[in-house]
Amino acid sequence: MINELMIGISQALDAAFSDVEIHTDQIKQGLVEPCFFIMLLEPSQEQVLGPRFYRENTFDIHYFPKTDNTSEINEVADKLMNTLEYIKFDGGLLRGTKMHSETVAGVLHFFVDYNFHTIKDTITNPYMEQLKVKGKVRNSE
């Protein structure tokens, strides 16, 4: 499910920033600016009731600007608020919450949570393994 969330975030970013590269894996060398890097921070899961669970997923979307211009970072941060409010997930839309941003060493860090309830399939043994039926046809005479 985490990969589906990352795909939804990537699609939303691509729709809004079509000319900016999006990365989901660590970039060792050759970073071409401007670009986004999507990083998941400490996902958690809590059992609610029976097989029902609540999952919390906090993402940190890094934006590496083309220039050291603060106005570019501010414009991107403002646009991300609207862009990441809803993402496509599991055939529907998922709303982002707790959105905030900060700039550290010239890189924008945009934080957003995508939390949802899920039902875990806990049935490991089928209810019925085999069924034998014996029957006769009754003579109607």
Side-chain angles (χ1 to χ4, degrees):
M1 293 223 166
I2 291 173
N3 287 335
E4 291 176 28
L5 286 170
M6 292 186 105
I7 289 169
I9 293 169
S10 297
Q11 289 173 342
L13 290 174
D14 188 48
F17 302 91
S18 59
D19 56 335
V20 179
E21 284 189 35
I22 301 164
H23 302 278
T24 56
D25 296 323
Q26 288 288 341
I27 307 160
K28 301 290 182 192
Q29 291 180 339
L31 176 72
V32 178
E33 297 168 342
C35 69
F36 288 104
F37 174 65
I38 304 169
M39 187 167 102
L40 177 66
L41 304 175
E42 300 179 20
S44 65
Q45 175 174 287
E46 180 181 333
Q47 188 172 10
V48 179
L49 183 63
R52 194 174 166 142
F53 290 83
Y54 182 68
R55 290 190 179 179
E56 294 182 347
N57 300 286
T58 302
F59 286 90
D60 179 3
I61 291 100
H62 298 71
Y63 175 71
F64 297 92
K66 187 170 185 112
T67 63
D68 290 336
N69 191 347
T70 306
S71 65
E72 178 186 358
I73 291 174
N74 292 338
E75 286 176 21
V76 171
D78 188 42
K79 193 171 181 180
L80 285 174
M81 290 285 184
N82 294 325
T83 301
L84 297 176
E85 183 176 4
Y86 290 98
I87 62 167
K88 292 179 183 176
F89 175 71
D90 199 28
L93 294 176
L94 185 62
R95 186 167 189 258
T97 58
K98 298 182 184 175
M99 290 188 265
H100 64 281
S101 63
E102 63 182 45
T103 304
V104 178
V107 177
L108 173 68
H109 292 263
F110 187 86
F111 300 93
V112 60
D113 288 3
Y114 292 104
N115 306 327
F116 56 91
H117 286 91
T118 185
I119 297 176
K120 200 183 255 188
D121 186 16
T122 57
I123 299 173
T124 56
N125 297 325
Y127 291 111
M128 188 181 305
E129 291 183 10
Q130 290 184 338
L131 175 65
K132 292 183 181 180
V133 178
K134 290 184 180 181
K136 292 196 249 181
V137 177
R138 189 168 26 152
N139 195 348
S140 62
E141 296 176 2

PDB file of all heavy atoms in Angstrom, residues 23-27 37-38:
ATOM      1  N   HIS A  23      11.712  11.764  -7.973  1.00  0.00           N
ATOM      2  CA  HIS A  23      12.486  10.591  -7.562  1.00  0.00           C
ATOM      3  C   HIS A  23      11.857   9.968  -6.320  1.00  0.00           C
ATOM      4  O   HIS A  23      11.397  10.674  -5.424  1.00  0.00           O
ATOM      5  CB  HIS A  23      13.932  10.984  -7.234  1.00  0.00           C
ATOM      6  CG  HIS A  23      14.653  11.643  -8.370  1.00  0.00           C
ATOM      7  ND1 HIS A  23      15.226  10.921  -9.383  1.00  0.00           N
ATOM      8  CD2 HIS A  23      14.867  12.949  -8.656  1.00  0.00           C
ATOM      9  CE1 HIS A  23      15.786  11.755 -10.253  1.00  0.00           C
ATOM     10  NE2 HIS A  23      15.580  13.001  -9.828  1.00  0.00           N
ATOM     11  N   THR A  24      11.870   8.636  -6.278  1.00  0.00           N
ATOM     12  CA  THR A  24      11.401   7.923  -5.084  1.00  0.00           C
ATOM     13  C   THR A  24      12.518   7.097  -4.470  1.00  0.00           C
ATOM     14  O   THR A  24      12.366   6.578  -3.374  1.00  0.00           O
ATOM     15  CB  THR A  24      10.211   7.006  -5.407  1.00  0.00           C
ATOM     16  OG1 THR A  24      10.588   6.104  -6.448  1.00  0.00           O
ATOM     17  CG2 THR A  24       9.004   7.822  -5.833  1.00  0.00           C
ATOM     18  N   ASP A  25      13.631   6.953  -5.169  1.00  0.00           N
ATOM     19  CA  ASP A  25      14.797   6.233  -4.656  1.00  0.00           C
ATOM     20  C   ASP A  25      15.918   7.222  -4.383  1.00  0.00           C
ATOM     21  O   ASP A  25      15.959   8.308  -4.976  1.00  0.00           O
ATOM     22  CB  ASP A  25      15.274   5.187  -5.669  1.00  0.00           C
ATOM     23  CG  ASP A  25      14.239   4.094  -5.898  1.00  0.00           C
ATOM     24  OD1 ASP A  25      13.573   3.708  -4.923  1.00  0.00           O
ATOM     25  OD2 ASP A  25      14.099   3.650  -7.049  1.00  0.00           O
ATOM     26  N   GLN A  26      16.830   6.833  -3.486  1.00  0.00           N
ATOM     27  CA  GLN A  26      17.953   7.706  -3.148  1.00  0.00           C
ATOM     28  C   GLN A  26      18.740   8.082  -4.398  1.00  0.00           C
ATOM     29  O   GLN A  26      18.964   7.252  -5.286  1.00  0.00           O
ATOM     30  CB  GLN A  26      18.892   7.007  -2.154  1.00  0.00           C
ATOM     31  CG  GLN A  26      18.320   6.892  -0.769  1.00  0.00           C
ATOM     32  CD  GLN A  26      18.266   8.230  -0.049  1.00  0.00           C
ATOM     33  OE1 GLN A  26      18.937   9.184  -0.412  1.00  0.00           O
ATOM     34  NE2 GLN A  26      17.441   8.286   0.986  1.00  0.00           N
ATOM     35  N   ILE A  27      19.158   9.324  -4.453  1.00  0.00           N
ATOM     36  CA  ILE A  27      19.937   9.828  -5.574  1.00  0.00           C
ATOM     37  C   ILE A  27      21.396   9.881  -5.129  1.00  0.00           C
ATOM     38  O   ILE A  27      21.748  10.660  -4.245  1.00  0.00           O
ATOM     39  CB  ILE A  27      19.452  11.234  -5.991  1.00  0.00           C
ATOM     40  CG1 ILE A  27      17.954  11.210  -6.241  1.00  0.00           C
ATOM     41  CG2 ILE A  27      20.208  11.720  -7.210  1.00  0.00           C
ATOM     42  CD1 ILE A  27      17.320  12.575  -6.187  1.00  0.00           C
ATOM     43  N   PHE A  37      11.916  14.751  -4.437  1.00  0.00           N
ATOM     44  CA  PHE A  37      12.277  13.456  -3.871  1.00  0.00           C
ATOM     45  C   PHE A  37      11.227  13.113  -2.823  1.00  0.00           C
ATOM     46  O   PHE A  37      11.004  13.881  -1.885  1.00  0.00           O
ATOM     47  CB  PHE A  37      13.679  13.492  -3.247  1.00  0.00           C
ATOM     48  CG  PHE A  37      14.037  12.241  -2.528  1.00  0.00           C
ATOM     49  CD1 PHE A  37      14.181  11.042  -3.212  1.00  0.00           C
ATOM     50  CD2 PHE A  37      14.217  12.240  -1.159  1.00  0.00           C
ATOM     51  CE1 PHE A  37      14.500   9.873  -2.535  1.00  0.00           C
ATOM     52  CE2 PHE A  37      14.533  11.084  -0.481  1.00  0.00           C
ATOM     53  CZ  PHE A  37      14.680   9.890  -1.167  1.00  0.00           C
ATOM     54  N   ILE A  38      10.559  11.976  -2.986  1.00  0.00           N
ATOM     55  CA  ILE A  38       9.485  11.565  -2.079  1.00  0.00           C
ATOM     56  C   ILE A  38      10.052  10.573  -1.075  1.00  0.00           C
ATOM     57  O   ILE A  38      10.621   9.547  -1.461  1.00  0.00           O
ATOM     58  CB  ILE A  38       8.321  10.920  -2.853  1.00  0.00           C
ATOM     59  CG1 ILE A  38       7.806  11.874  -3.919  1.00  0.00           C
ATOM     60  CG2 ILE A  38       7.208  10.510  -1.903  1.00  0.00           C
ATOM     61  CD1 ILE A  38       6.847  11.238  -4.905  1.00  0.00           C
TER      62      ILE A  38
END
